[in-house]
Amino acid sequence: MGVQGLTGFVEERGVFFTELRVRDTKLVIDGSSLYHHLCFAPGADFRRGGDYGAFAAAVRDFFGVLRACGVAPFVVLDGGRGAEDRKLPTLRGRAAEQLRAAHGLSRGAGGCLAPLLTREAFVQALGRLGVPFVQCFAEADREIAGLANRWGCPVLSLDSDFFVFDLAGGYCPLSHFQWQSARAAGPQGCYVPARCFSADRFCRHFGPLSKALLPLFAVMSGNDFIGLEALEAFFSKVRLPRGCAAGRGGKHLRLQGLLLWLAQFAEPAEAVDNVLKYLKKHQREEIRELLCTSMEDYAPSDVNLEAFFQNGCYECEAASKADVPQWVMDALAKGKLAPFLINALILRSTFLRVQVENMQRPSAHSTALPIRQVIYGLLLRVSHGTEDASPSKQTNELPVVCEFDRCQKTLKKTFVQAASLPSDFCDDRFPLDKLMEVPMSCRQMLLLETLGVKMSFLEPVPSHLQLAVAVTCYWIRCSEPKVTLNQLKALLLVIVSGELQRITDDPDPTLLPAEDDSVAYNEFLKWKEKKLQNDGFELDAAHNFCQWQCCLQMGLYLNQLLGTPLSEPDLSSRLYTGTLVHRLYQELKSAPAVENLFILSPKMAQLYLVLLNTVES
């Protein structure tokens, strides 16, 4: 969510904040805001598909600072779009903005675009660090507000809607949360310097204005759920205080005028009645209902997240109404299922996020379409044995999902038919709510058959890399343009470099560290430093690496839905580093000897050969 123009309006004045030393407290964190904030750090590369290891290191540093200051973080993430799908127009607009940003980056312009697997890397990093988190059924804002008010602690976010919620412990914008400047303060220990928004100061400044009117102010100003078009008739006729007539003086003057106009009313119902006077009679009841429904978005949720953090139980009335199986809801809440899956299940509609790819070619997501079709088949299976099934169902008509994806430089929707599943998964004894009762061997076989790989081929590969290698085999077979040998070698070398860094930074305490691994790692770091100047970028190679990430993302989701028959590869341990894969690809074309980069470590050299032979076979 977000109120149009409100962050700039509040920041411009600055008088609504109090200085805060954050320490020895609980802190409810808006996970989506945090991972975007850390992802968009200065100097980050947005053109080459993401440096997930560096991102995971920033996540680790952030929570390390909180721990040092005695802060107990609780991260709350958005889930799916919700059964009503009220944000669809806003999400389509954002997807179009991201498409424009991706196109600019592909041509060498500046801009920011979160890499495709940022959310997955963030959730994995939280799990590794032991940071308590929950993934909500839908939009998280109301549940964040409810939890923070239950505990009386601050909310940390970058969402302007938190200027509107009535928060007992206040709202700390991430832009004013100076975690990289944490300071020691005598016997009380260290703290994070921050600024906290005061709704009381804000309301005193405009009126005084009743805090109960802030939700109406937000709705009338335009947020993710309601556009201004519905209220243009009001703004074109009303005389806002201080000469702030509609359409003149800019967005901030309109916000100020609206606040001063609302201050004359004691409570929202009176204000709504006065708004409706400016509208045509036949519009009034529809607009009243729209305003009242939208104001409810600023009432803290009754979902008890405290109970989830105490006993792992997430109970949500909206999920129950949508007939979401309990195991699906539990897995979603624990971050073991992606929101993509819940959107496909409830809405039969998904967004495929654009990357920096070749806009003249089909979307990079096209390559992973067969994987998505199997996912849709599992989620939307129609029972074959029900007596009241319609004739179309009895002829095995397959469900259809609406996908929003790129077609050249525009956002298009396409209707995709779910895959027909093997007989084990069509058995009426195993509907979606009983999917985990299908034998694990059958679930693993479906995963591997979808990726076109036999388990016998994967046996030489370390278990935590088997899914990534299976996806790589699929990518080589299905990508367009075809993957070149140098692109494959560059990708495998990056995976090996991630393994080398992992065993160097986080060695197995049961094994003696191998000196040759340390030597090889130091040589690799020297090579990286020397090659920092190499800024080569080839758009078709970038397109192929984007396709690999799309295949990995859908491979991860299918593996999650099947109850992880293969271990989940760890993105936070540098499984993929976009800047490095592009650099190695350029180097391999001119200096093939870089393939021997890890020759000083027999273990890593052997791993590279195992990966290469497995994929080539």
Side-chain angles (χ1 to χ4, degrees):
M1 285 165 52
V3 182
Q4 296 165 22
L6 185 56
T7 296
F9 178 76
V10 170
E11 295 281 358
E12 191 178 76
R13 282 146 185 82
V15 296
F16 310 128
F17 291 97
T18 57
E19 300 300 319
L20 191 65
R21 295 183 172 189
V22 181
R23 65 169 156 227
D24 302 324
T25 180
K26 288 176 176 169
L27 182 66
V28 179
I29 299 175
D30 175 355
S32 180
S33 285
L34 178 60
Y35 76 71
H36 279 98
H37 181 69
L38 296 177
C39 167
F40 295 150
D45 181 281
F46 300 109
R47 203 176 181 205
R48 293 170 177 79
D51 289 352
Y52 298 112
F55 169 71
V59 175
R60 183 189 64 227
D61 293 346
F62 177 86
F63 287 104
V65 167
L66 296 191
R67 193 180 306 112
C69 295
V71 175
F74 294 84
V75 177
V76 185
L77 285 151
D78 291 326
R81 285 150 47 191
E84 296 173 353
D85 206 14
R86 290 167 55 213
K87 278 180 71 170
L88 180 60
T90 298
L91 294 172
R92 291 182 74 163
R94 282 187 195 157
E97 283 173 21
Q98 289 165 355
L99 182 46
R100 287 190 288 274
H103 180 235
L105 284 161
S106 73
R107 301 174 66 190
C112 293
L113 185 72
L116 184 68
L117 300 172
T118 304
R119 183 195 178 92
E120 286 72 26
F122 182 66
V123 169
Q124 287 186 350
L126 294 178
R128 281 172 67 95
L129 295 167
V131 174
F133 74 94
V134 63
Q135 191 166 249
C136 298
F137 172 63
E139 178 99 23
D141 291 12
R142 294 180 63 223
E143 293 178 39
I144 289 170
L147 181 63
N149 279 347
R150 185 177 283 264
W151 286 339
C153 69
V155 167
L156 184 65
S157 178
L158 257 183
D159 186 335
S160 56
D161 279 316
F162 290 110
F163 291 125
V164 178
F165 280 99
D166 189 3
L167 298 170
Y171 161 46
C172 295
L174 267 161
S175 50
H176 294 295
F177 192 76
Q178 301 173 55
W179 65 275
Q180 289 166 310
S181 305
R183 297 166 195 166
Q188 292 178 299
C190 70
Y191 65 90
V192 177
R195 301 181 82 197
C196 187
F197 172 76
S198 167
D200 290 325
R201 280 192 185 190
F202 185 79
C203 289
R204 277 199 306 272
H205 187 82
F206 297 104
L209 172 74
S210 165
K211 277 200 281 189
L213 285 159
L214 287 179
L216 179 59
F217 161 71
V219 169
M220 293 182 69
S221 301
N223 64 16
D224 287 354
F225 292 126
I226 183 169
L228 285 168
E229 306 79 33
L231 294 169
E232 276 310 315
F234 165 80
F235 283 112
S236 65
K237 293 174 185 174
V238 71
R239 283 187 61 83
L240 296 176
R242 299 195 183 171
C244 303
R248 292 205 296 266
K251 179 71 180 171
H252 288 186
L253 281 178
R254 178 186 277 196
L255 292 175
Q256 178 175 301
L258 180 57
L259 285 162
L260 294 168
W261 185 82
L262 288 170
Q264 66 187 299
F265 306 110
E267 42 89 30
E270 182 189 0
V272 169
D273 286 340
N274 278 273
V275 169
L276 298 178
K277 288 176 185 175
Y278 291 90
L279 306 181
K280 292 177 180 173
K281 285 185 179 176
H282 71 274
Q283 293 180 309
R284 290 178 184 175
E285 286 314 304
E286 183 187 349
I287 298 296
R288 182 195 300 277
E289 189 175 337
L290 182 63
L291 292 174
C292 292
T293 301
S294 300
M295 283 192 285
E296 289 171 14
D297 294 320
Y298 295 97
S301 167
D302 55 5
V303 173
N304 187 354
L305 287 188
E306 183 178 42
F308 173 82
F309 286 119
Q310 286 171 348
N311 59 34
C313 180
Y314 182 91
E315 293 182 0
C316 170
E317 189 180 339
S320 301
K321 283 182 181 173
D323 290 329
V324 178
Q326 191 58 49
W327 80 264
V328 172
M329 198 56 248
D330 291 343
L332 181 77
K334 292 171 183 172
K336 293 178 180 176
L337 286 181
F340 175 93
L341 299 171
I342 208 80
N343 290 332
L345 173 63
I346 292 173
L347 302 172
R348 300 196 178 199
S349 169
T350 57
F351 278 85
L352 304 175
R353 287 193 42 243
V354 70
Q355 300 174 82
V356 182
E357 52 197 80
N358 188 339
M359 301 290 166
Q360 302 307 311
R361 292 191 176 277
S363 163
H365 287 284
S366 305
T367 311
L369 174 60
I371 309 176
R372 294 198 301 280
Q373 288 175 299
V374 172
I375 290 171
Y376 301 151
L378 286 167
L379 288 169
L380 304 172
R381 248 163 351 116
V382 175
S383 173
H384 298 291
T386 53
E387 291 177 15
D388 58 347
S390 66
S392 66
K393 298 247 177 94
Q394 289 172 353
T395 56
N396 299 338
E397 185 177 286
L398 294 165
V400 169
V401 173
C402 172
E403 294 186 337
F404 290 93
D405 192 11
R406 175 185 73 77
C407 178
Q408 294 199 319
K409 290 180 280 186
T410 56
L411 187 70
K412 297 278 185 185
K413 66 178 178 181
T414 309
F415 292 93
V416 169
Q417 197 167 53
S420 180
L421 297 174
S423 57
D424 286 321
F425 293 89
C426 297
D427 190 326
D428 290 334
R429 292 174 301 156
F430 301 122
L432 180 60
D433 59 349
K434 300 275 198 312
L435 181 59
M436 290 304 105
E437 295 177 23
V438 176
M440 180 60 92
S441 59
C442 296
R443 286 182 269 146
Q444 186 185 81
M445 188 178 297
L446 178 62
L447 174 66
L448 295 176
E449 284 179 356
T450 303
L451 298 175
V453 179
K454 288 187 168 65
M455 194 63 209
S456 56
F457 284 127
L458 296 178
E459 279 165 1
V461 177
S463 61
H464 63 285
L465 294 177
Q466 285 176 344
L467 181 57
V469 170
V471 162
T472 304
C473 295
Y474 174 94
W475 169 63
I476 286 175
R477 203 173 64 253
C478 300
S479 70
E480 188 58 47
K482 288 295 174 193
V483 177
T484 69
L485 184 59
N486 283 336
Q487 288 166 5
L488 171 63
K489 288 179 176 178
L491 179 67
L492 297 181
L493 285 168
V494 167
I495 292 173
V496 173
S497 76
E499 282 297 288
L500 181 58
Q501 178 154 356
R502 184 179 65 81
I503 63 171
T504 306
D505 290 350
D506 189 19
D508 185 338
T510 63
L511 299 174
L512 284 171
E515 190 177 333
D516 45 23
D517 289 340
S518 299
V519 172
Y521 184 56
N522 289 329
E523 287 300 310
F524 168 65
L525 291 178
K526 285 179 196 170
W527 176 86
K528 266 177 73 175
E529 289 301 314
K530 277 192 297 189
K531 296 296 172 188
L532 275 175
Q533 304 79 14
N534 186 344
D535 198 34
F537 181 80
E538 188 180 299
L539 193 54
D540 268 347
H543 193 84
N544 274 351
F545 294 131
C546 286
Q547 289 181 86
W548 183 81
Q549 287 209 63
C550 293
C551 296
L552 181 63
Q553 183 184 49
M554 291 304 148
L556 284 169
Y557 292 173
L558 178 57
N559 191 50
Q560 288 176 353
L561 185 57
L562 291 168
T564 56
L566 293 181
S567 299
E568 189 163 287
D570 189 359
L571 290 161
S572 63
S573 64
R574 289 175 164 76
L575 179 75
Y576 183 85
T577 303
T579 50
L580 182 57
V581 81
H582 278 265
R583 197 181 305 163
L584 282 164
Y585 169 63
Q586 296 294 336
E587 184 86 357
L588 281 161
K589 289 194 295 182
S590 58
V594 76
E595 190 175 2
N596 300 319
L597 193 56
F598 303 109
I599 199 74
L600 293 174
S601 165
K603 191 194 303 176
M604 291 300 116
Q606 176 64 20
L607 175 61
Y608 173 70
L609 288 175
V610 165
L611 298 181
L612 186 61
N613 291 338
T614 302
V615 173
E616 286 187 326
S617 69

